[in-house]
Amino acid sequence: MTAALGDNSLGFIIDRVDVGILVVTENLEVVLWNRFMEANSKVAAETIVGANLLESFPDLPGKWLEKKVRSVQLLNNFAFTSWQQRPYLFHFQHHRPITGGVTHMYQNCTFIPFEGSEGESLVCITLFDVTDTAISQREVQQAHADLEELSNRDPLTGIYNRRFMETELDKEFKRVRRHGGKLSVLFLDLDFFKKVNDTYGHQAGDQVLIEVTQRINEIARVTDCLARYGGEEFAIILPETDTSGGLIFANRVRELIEKTPVHYGEHVIALTASLGLSEYYEGLESHDVLLDQSDKALYEAKKQGRNRVVCYLPDM
């Protein structure tokens, strides 16, 4: 196993270090295979030394590995790959609890060119088990992602908040202005919501807001963006939707709210909603103008008697 180096003391160290070490020729014939490699691959050194590495491990990234070895030999220079670039070279099982959420050993690899005792060109490949580091870093990244997601959500209803909605609307606005397409924005306000809080209490009002958002989400498309804009007011971004399509959706929402009251304890809370719709058109200055037009249409819906959908018109 280590006789190729001709040094028993060096071989002793190579076999006991907690690092995978293998040496290959330019044709990927295995010259050395230490105990770390034996233990994790379940392939004995006596079996693989003298054999072709890719034939023994056909699941290895063959073309990439051949190119890497040739490059290291040609340039006579050290090379390194991290688990972030390539999670592993050899698909070894990890030695962590199942609760760690990983399915394999994460590895950092080095490729070191050197000349053998008989003048042959060899490459030493080392594998470092960095699974603990990978798990920790992934947990930190997930924690950051979770915090960012929470910062985009309304804590009561779980839907997006105003800040996130306006950011997404700005992206959609710039997209249609640059590439063309359709875009509509819908504002929704629950009629006389203050009476719900005054009559049944704020907990009942919270339940109303939660159930209304759930019902809207049930009929909204995956691409639509529903957000709580403030209080009992909601905004919905409708990508690739013109006024005609927006009206159909808005009336479905209005009818759904009107026909399905919220049950709170022994109370049945009847609801209606007013909605204002606006559509992007060429020459519109910004997404803020689009929001303002939806808001004006919503105001007009309330002015006309509530429980209706109104589309923005220039004379508003």
Side-chain angles (χ1 to χ4, degrees), residues 28 54 58-67:
L28 295 184
L54 297 182
D59 60 336
L60 285 172
K63 291 184 178 179
W64 177 87
L65 186 57
E66 289 175 337
K67 183 178 180 181

Side-chain angles (χ1 to χ4, degrees), residues 31-273:
V31 175
L32 181 144
W33 190 259
N34 78 338
R35 287 188 182 177
F36 179 99
M37 298 301 296
E38 282 189 333
N40 288 282
S41 69
K42 313 303 181 188
V43 176
E46 291 79 6
T47 302
I48 196 170
V49 168
N52 182 274
L53 183 62
L54 297 182
E55 291 176 0
S56 301
F57 292 88
D59 60 336
L60 285 172
K63 291 184 178 179
W64 177 87
L65 186 57
E66 289 175 337
K67 183 178 180 181
K68 179 66 71 174
V69 168
R70 282 198 302 269
S71 173
V72 165
Q73 290 178 321
L74 181 64
L75 299 175
N76 193 33
N77 199 13
F78 170 98
F80 173 80
T81 61
S82 75
W83 67 271
Q84 294 161 311
Q85 300 166 315
R86 181 177 292 275
Y88 59 85
L89 180 57
F90 287 84
H91 193 282
F92 291 160
Q93 294 297 311
H94 64 88
H95 307 295
R96 309 304 186 279
I98 297 176
T99 52
V102 295
T103 58
H104 55 79
M105 177 194 294
Y106 284 86
Q107 300 157 12
N108 284 347
C109 301
T110 63
F111 296 80
I112 307 170
F114 69 100
E115 187 177 298
S117 57
E118 298 180 2
E120 68 273 33
S121 180
L122 302 174
V123 172
C124 176
I125 304 174
T126 62
L127 275 67
F128 296 87
D129 181 359
V130 292
T131 309
D132 287 337
T133 300
I135 291 174
S136 297
Q137 190 161 329
R138 284 176 53 189
E139 288 175 347
V140 169
Q141 290 171 344
Q142 186 60 51
H144 282 302
D146 291 343
L147 285 172
E148 184 176 358
E149 179 65 14
L150 283 173
S151 71
N152 294 330
R153 297 282 179 176
D154 171 54
L156 175 65
T157 61
I159 60 175
Y160 290 117
N161 57 28
R162 176 175 177 172
R163 180 184 60 82
F164 180 83
M165 186 281 295
E166 291 191 351
T167 300
E168 287 301 298
L169 181 58
D170 184 46
K171 292 178 183 176
E172 282 296 312
F173 183 88
K174 290 175 180 176
R175 180 186 64 81
V176 295
R177 186 167 62 179
R178 185 179 301 113
H179 304 293
K182 303 170 185 177
L183 173 64
S184 294
V185 175
L186 186 65
F187 265 15
L188 179 153
D189 189 87
L190 295 177
D191 297 328
F192 304 112
F193 182 74
K194 185 177 183 299
K195 288 185 179 180
V196 174
N197 285 329
D198 293 343
T199 305
Y200 305 104
H202 286 279
Q203 288 186 336
D206 288 347
Q207 187 63 33
V208 165
L209 294 173
I210 292 169
E211 291 198 24
V212 166
T213 57
Q214 290 173 345
R215 290 168 190 170
I216 297 174
N217 266 327
E218 287 175 0
I219 62 173
R221 302 169 301 178
V222 175
T223 53
D224 298 335
C225 178
L226 171 63
R228 186 179 178 192
Y229 203 70
E232 68 275 18
E233 191 172 34
F234 301 88
I236 311 172
I237 303 173
L238 303 171
E240 296 304 326
T241 304
D242 57 13
T243 298
S244 176
L247 272 173
I248 294 172
F249 175 75
N251 276 302
R252 285 184 65 196
V253 171
R254 185 193 62 77
E255 291 174 5
L256 183 64
I257 292 173
E258 183 182 20
K259 293 178 179 179
T260 54
V262 172
H263 295 265
Y264 181 75
E266 60 184 16
H267 305 292
V268 179
I269 305 174
L271 300 166
T272 61

